[in-house]
């Protein structure tokens, strides 16, 4: 089983900019009519799973399926090392809350459990078709891309009274022993979103945020089974190991019903496969329409270091 197998039964195929425009309009119609809020994530390779950098790198290092205990342990070691380096605080802000520490680590490329998202659908599409290079050579240009739309209406911690305090705490809420904060069963069968303050220009430029949660497990807080379907009919389910190969968070793929008046599913993940042949045209139109290019999406020195001279070989 591959991540492509996992997404394929639920995906909508997009072959042109105009099909993309139509689909995004349909999602927005449902968002307005159903009072839903969506976050977006674009990936330049449709065959990739929905995997955060820490999950992916732990798997590559150990060669084993990453469990929540593995993630918590390594995450704690990274944060402790950040403290030893004296980067957990600054003269201007004082000590950073734990979510802000993780956000800054994510910004500079350190591995975290955060998945980058945007609250702008067109920016999400740009990330899907973004031109990338490896050692001076373009990559993924001949490979289909994927755009995810995630219903975060009831998952955004900024809008939850009982979760809003997570923005200010100095320890990880998901490691707390107080079940009133969050139980492990809820943490590993749910997903959460956070729209951070504009810690830097890049977050503002991308209308960025983060999606996160525990490594998926099989039992919900009400002791019911947490399972993800293999097909839109839900007659078969993936094993939990197969789920973990494709997604690091407990989120349910749904078929996007394009019919006018069809309701969106609460907490749904919709998947749109953008054909490789459409990437260049979509990218050029996004540049002409919105000015989206590397210099405006990554408006900082780190962005320039990565994309200012991509044609020069580095090794």
């Amino acid at each position: 089983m591959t991540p492509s197998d996992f997404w394929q039964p639920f995906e909508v195929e997009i072959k042109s900019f105009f099909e993309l425009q139509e689909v995004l309009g349909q999602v927005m119609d449902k968002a307005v009519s159903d009072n839903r809020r969506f976050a977006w994530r674009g990936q330049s390779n449709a065959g990739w799973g929905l995997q955060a950098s820490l999950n992916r790198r732990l798997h590559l290092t150990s060669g084993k399926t990453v469990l929540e205990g593995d993630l918590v342990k390594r995450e704690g070691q990274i944060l402790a090392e950040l403290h030893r380096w004296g980067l957990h605080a600054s003269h201007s802000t004082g000590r950073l809350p734990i979510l802000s520490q993780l956000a800054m680590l994510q910004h500079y490329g350190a591995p975290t459990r955060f998945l980058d998202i945007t609250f702008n659908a067109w920016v999400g599409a740009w990330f899907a078709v973004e031109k990338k290079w490896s050692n001076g050579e373009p990559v993924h240009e001949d490979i289909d891309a994927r755009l995810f739309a995630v219903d975060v209406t009831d998952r955004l911690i900024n809008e939850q009274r009982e979760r809003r305090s997570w923005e200010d705490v100095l320890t990880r809420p998901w490691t707390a022993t107080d079940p009133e904060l969050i139980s492990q069963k809820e943490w590993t069968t749910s997903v959460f979103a956070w729209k951070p303050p504009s810690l830097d220009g890049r977050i503002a430029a991308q209308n960025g945020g983060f999606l996160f949660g525990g490594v998926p497990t099989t039992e919900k807080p009400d002791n019911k089974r947490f399972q993800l379907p293999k097909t839109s009919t839900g007659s078969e389910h993936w094993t939990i190991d197969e789920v973990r190969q494709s997604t690091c968070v407990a989120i349910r793929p749904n078929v996007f019903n394009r019919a006018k008046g069809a309701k969106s599913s609460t907490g749904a993940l919709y998947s749109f496969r953008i054909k490789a042949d459409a990437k260049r045209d979509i990218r050029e139109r996004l540049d002409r329409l919105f000015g989206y290019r590397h210099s405006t999406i990554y408006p900082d020195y780190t962005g320039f270091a990565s994309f200012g001279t991509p044609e020069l070989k580095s090794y």
Side-chain angles (χ1 to χ4, degrees), residues 218-277:
T218 57
E219 194 171 314
K220 298 180 180 180
D222 59 6
N223 297 322
K224 292 182 179 179
R225 296 276 293 172
F226 176 79
Q227 295 178 300
L228 295 183
K230 282 188 175 184
T231 65
S232 58
T233 62
S235 56
E236 295 182 79
H237 295 86
W238 298 109
T239 67
I240 193 63
D241 282 340
E242 290 171 329
V243 169
R244 291 167 179 160
Q245 289 175 37
S246 297
T247 174
C248 66
V249 288
I251 194 164
R252 182 178 296 275
N254 281 249
V255 174
F256 179 67
N257 190 336
R258 301 176 70 171
K260 189 174 180 62
K263 295 289 185 181
S264 61
S265 300
T266 302
L269 170 71
Y270 299 119
S271 172
F272 305 99
R273 186 184 190 101
I274 300 175
K275 299 300 291 180
D277 290 346

Side-chain angles (χ1 to χ4, degrees), residues 119-133:
F119 294 93
N120 182 321
W122 292 110
V123 172
W126 185 88
F127 280 119
V129 302
E130 173 187 4
K131 191 168 185 178
K132 292 190 173 184
W133 297 263

